[in-house]
Amino acid sequence: MKKIAFVTGGVVSSLGKGIIASSLGRLLIDNNINVGMMKCDPYLNIDPGTMSPIEHGEVFVTVDGGETDLDIGHYERFLGKNLTKESSLTSGKIYQEVLDKERRGEYNGKTVQIVPHITNHIKEKIYKLAENYDLLIVEVGGSIGDIESLAYIETIRQIKYELSDDAIVIHAGFVPLIKVSNELKTKPMQRSVNLLRSLGVSPEILITRSEVELSEREVEKIGMFATVKKEYIFQCVDEKSIYKIPISLMKQNFPRKIAALLNLNISSRDIKEKHYELINFNEKLNNLESEVKIAIVGKYVSNADSYISIVESLKHAGINNKIKIKYDLINSRNYLVNSLKNYDGILVPGGFGNDGTIGKMEAIKFARENNIPFLGICFGMQLAILEFAKNVCNLNVEHGELQIDAEYKIIDIMEDMKDKIIGGTMRLGNYQCSIKNHTLAREIYGNKLINERHRHRYEFNNKFTNDLKKEGMIISGIHPKTNLAEIIELPKNDFFIGVQFHPELSSKLTKPNKLIEAFIKAALKNKK
Ligand code: GLN
């Protein structure tokens, strides 16, 4: 038995469909429903791994090593569970598989077409994933009417036909506020629903996205002209925090209505009891007691989504400890040391390439010399090693990604990675890390063995371990099978730690990542 809820959007993109889909998923999980999530992206890249974060925001890595759309990150954080690469579909992946099949002659002489071959392939992927769950929520990227997403809309039409009452469409639409006349305009929403209808898909549920609340009259108007009864129209008004969206939808009885439409049995427990975690999290969010200021020093600062998992993981750690997180994305290309003086903690995130590394190196040096809590993630850890090797150990070494022809590389590409193509060939997904006793990392994680996600090509060159150690930098975590460095620390400082993995990717709303949480607590201690 397969049940599917599609989430579409119009008349513009960036409506927060991902947050709406995630909120629904979370609310239903709280009702004991086994929910899966999928995102369909209309672009032709096989995955977002080769796209610049400036272009498309962060690349989210799943435990099984999928390089996926950043919405998968929202899903995981809201749902509180890990997903796999099957949750992220792109047109590129679909076309590649269909064309590979064509080359193998598997279409038996038929003309291969968008309908039915591409649509059938999309359908197959959706049905296959849906089998594992009580309900699969499928979000379609972009907005209705885009040429790129037409095959997905046609697939939705067919799935609705095949599954009847077991498939519904939730359409989120934009209701702009015209400030000069202080009027909400419902026409764009009507238009986008009717455009969807003209493609053969009638939505069961509408969600209005607006700056202010709609009046009863406006809701009725939308209902009348979009042919959806007003009890199936929900409002999603701009909130200060995305974590307030599930609460707002819960208050409107959203999960109960969806469950009724799809014939899903939901928990009969009291609302406060079943959504206890969400409600508790929101109460903390409303009652933050202290504040820390964090500097995130990186080069992808022109798109706020580039560091979204880092920012959200800082918030999870903050909110759960009633600490307000103030953060600035500081451009490492034109960075000045002076601008770092007012921060309680410095974070250097992952990154690629030469450009912008000077600022990161300066920031690391500044944190190290002034005993400011420091967390280096992936590239951030590699550069922390490089900075220490050059400035403290006086070694004549380089980072292989920054200086390909250097004689001594303290960070180098692994032999077996050397002649691989760019896309999908990094050390990706979960790897085990064994943490040494009596180290800060051990104290933070509590366990000897942990698993965290990776996305990188370069590694620390173990030949230099003793040189670092002599001056006080230790390797406190390694990958047990290969001996590759996973965590470095400077015990001399109060909190100076670098990790080859991405702790931000495993953080969940009510279960912050331990390392990020420790970093925030250290920042609070160091508060200016
Ligand atoms: N560029 C570095 C590498 O490939 C770090 C990657 C990252 O920070 N995600 O190893």
Side-chain angles (χ1 to χ4, degrees):
M1 200 48 177
K2 294 179 285 278
K3 289 183 192 280
I4 301 168
F6 292 98
V7 178
T8 60
V11 62
V12 288
S13 59
S14 301
L15 277 174
K17 285 188 306 266
I19 303 298
I20 292 170
S22 310
S23 301
L24 173 63
R26 174 59 190 244
L27 291 167
L28 290 173
I29 281 187
D30 285 353
N31 274 292
N32 296 342
I33 290 169
N34 181 12
V35 177
M37 306 275 305
M38 188 184 223
K39 171 87 190 280
C40 297
D41 274 302
Y43 50 75
L44 287 180
N45 300 63
I46 308 294
D47 61 44
T50 53
M51 271 190 261
S52 154
I54 299 286
E55 198 55 38
H56 197 70
E58 164 196 279
V59 177
F60 186 81
V61 183
T62 50
V63 280
D64 60 339
E67 295 181 273
T68 71
D69 186 78
L70 61 85
D71 272 315
I72 311 301
H74 286 309
Y75 303 162
E76 286 202 359
R77 291 188 281 271
F78 275 71
L79 266 56
K81 68 176 183 187
N82 295 338
L83 300 168
T84 60
K85 51 173 100 139
E86 270 66 47
S87 284
S88 184
L89 201 61
T90 68
S91 295
K93 204 190 268 179
I94 294 288
Y95 274 86
Q96 190 183 45
E97 288 176 10
V98 167
L99 294 176
D100 284 348
K101 246 170 118 174
E102 186 273 340
R103 287 292 84 182
R104 292 194 300 267
E106 288 178 31
Y107 291 109
N108 290 328
K110 286 259 182 312
T111 309
V112 179
Q113 292 176 297
I114 293 180
V115 182
H117 301 98
I118 294 291
T119 48
N120 278 353
H121 202 70
I122 299 173
K123 213 171 4 177
E124 223 174 85
K125 297 262 183 202
I126 294 177
Y127 280 159
K128 189 156 178 253
L129 192 59
E131 272 167 18
N132 305 334
Y133 301 99
D134 298 335
L135 174 71
L136 180 68
I137 300 174
V138 181
E139 179 195 347
V140 178
S143 59
I144 297 300
D146 295 347
I147 292 175
E148 284 86 355
S149 60
L150 282 176
Y152 293 107
I153 307 303
E154 169 60 13
T155 309
I156 296 178
R157 191 192 65 74
Q158 294 186 16
I159 290 181
K160 284 195 81 180
Y161 173 74
E162 287 174 6
L163 297 189
S164 317
D165 292 346
D166 288 327
I168 60 166
V169 170
I170 301 166
H171 184 72
F174 184 43
V175 182
L177 175 71
I178 307 293
K179 288 234 167 84
V180 275
S181 57
N182 196 30
E183 246 185 307
L184 280 167
K185 288 293 181 192
T186 62
K187 189 66 63 77
M189 175 98 196
Q190 296 171 33
R191 285 277 158 85
S192 104
V193 177
N194 288 326
L195 186 55
L196 181 58
R197 215 180 278 286
S198 72
L199 299 170
V201 174
S202 302
E204 280 72 14
I205 300 260
L206 298 183
I207 298 193
T208 58
R209 281 287 297 112
S210 57
E211 221 173 295
V212 295
E213 202 167 322
L214 278 71
S215 68
E216 183 92 3
R217 198 181 62 81
E218 283 147 352
V219 174
E220 265 163 17
K221 199 166 159 194
I222 290 175
M224 177 57 148
F225 293 103
T227 334
V228 174
K229 291 243 177 323
K230 73 167 193 264
E231 52 272 32
Y232 291 107
I233 303 178
F234 297 85
Q235 297 203 30
C236 208
V237 180
D238 290 356
E239 298 273 6
K240 275 213 186 85
S241 162
I242 52 171
Y243 299 121
K244 292 189 176 292
I245 305 291
I247 299 286
S248 151
L249 289 170
M250 174 191 81
K251 286 185 182 149
Q252 297 173 65
N253 244 331
F254 187 54
R256 188 168 287 279
K257 293 245 179 86
I258 301 274
L261 275 176
L262 284 162
N263 239 330
L264 285 163
N265 274 332
I266 62 172
S267 153
S268 55
R269 278 183 307 160
D270 173 65
I271 278 211
K272 280 205 184 110
E273 203 184 311
K274 60 187 171 196
H275 299 302
Y276 171 76
E277 274 195 351
L278 267 185
I279 295 171
N280 188 31
F281 184 74
N282 261 268
E283 262 161 28
K284 286 184 187 161
L285 174 61
N286 293 335
N287 295 295
L288 302 174
E289 288 163 1
S290 43
E291 182 181 295
V292 294
K293 269 186 93 177
I294 305 294
I296 302 173
V297 185
K299 69 172 168 180
Y300 309 120
V301 288
S302 58
N303 179 351
D305 279 348
S306 302
Y307 299 113
I308 188 141
S309 285
I310 291 191
V311 170
E312 296 310 314
S313 70
L314 292 174
K315 286 185 194 162
H316 302 160
I319 294 167
N320 280 291
N321 291 285
K322 295 200 177 174
I323 305 167
K324 180 173 180 164
I325 305 291
K326 285 199 127 183
Y327 68 92
D328 287 313
L329 302 178
I330 296 183
N331 192 340
S332 61
R333 289 195 187 97
N334 45 25
Y335 149 80
L336 295 164
V337 160
N338 276 343
S339 62
L340 281 189
K341 294 216 164 90
N342 302 322
Y343 292 93
D344 309 315
I346 295 174
L347 192 155
V348 176
F352 293 84
N354 237 320
D355 181 28
T357 46
I358 293 178
K360 292 181 191 173
M361 292 286 274
E362 279 182 39
I364 292 164
K365 183 163 184 264
F366 182 77
R368 178 177 58 74
E369 289 179 341
N370 296 284
N371 195 17
I372 296 170
F374 168 81
L375 178 59
I377 295 178
C378 206
F379 201 41
M381 164 185 124
Q382 297 172 355
L383 293 180
I385 293 176
L386 184 66
E387 191 279 325
F388 192 79
K390 280 178 176 260
N391 297 337
V392 181
C393 312
N394 287 317
L395 297 175
N396 173 26
V397 290
E398 294 299 336
H399 185 310
E401 186 176 353
L402 310 179
Q403 219 151 306
I404 301 169
D405 46 13
E407 200 177 344
Y408 303 107
K409 294 177 187 168
I410 191 159
I411 309 289
D412 202 1
I413 206 155
M414 288 186 44
E415 267 319 306
D416 58 340
M417 297 270 191
K418 275 191 177 146
D419 3 275
K420 285 200 175 159
I421 49 167
I422 293 281
T425 55
M426 284 184 266
R427 189 170 162 212
L428 286 167
N430 255 11
Y431 281 84
Q432 204 174 46
C433 167
S434 163
I435 310 179
K436 294 208 176 92
N437 288 336
H438 314 297
T439 58
L440 179 60
R442 185 63 189 271
E443 194 187 307
I444 291 170
Y445 276 100
N447 287 333
K448 185 170 176 56
L449 287 178
I450 58 160
N451 276 292
E452 292 276 22
R453 300 179 207 185
H454 290 244
R455 181 173 186 254
H456 57 103
R457 206 167 268 120
Y458 289 82
E459 307 281 354
F460 168 63
N461 183 344
N462 278 327
K463 273 191 222 140
F464 296 96
T465 308
N466 278 334
D467 295 295
L468 297 182
K469 202 172 165 190
K470 260 188 246 151
E471 299 298 329
M473 179 175 271
I474 59 160
I475 314 287
S476 57
I478 54 153
H479 177 236
K481 274 195 205 130
T482 55
N483 240 349
L484 292 170
E486 293 277 350
I487 312 177
I488 58 106
E489 298 178 17
L490 266 187
K492 244 195 274 173
N493 284 27
D494 292 337
F495 192 102
F496 190 103
I497 194 159
V499 287
Q500 187 56 77
F501 48 79
H502 289 268
E504 74 276 18
L505 298 178
S506 60
S507 172
K508 308 284 189 290
L509 227 86
T510 51
K511 205 167 168 266
N513 177 281
K514 287 185 177 158
L515 177 57
I516 307 274
E517 194 170 29
F519 172 59
I520 291 303
K521 286 183 178 165
L524 185 64
K525 250 194 191 162
N526 173 54
K527 197 168 160 54
K528 305 270 161 15

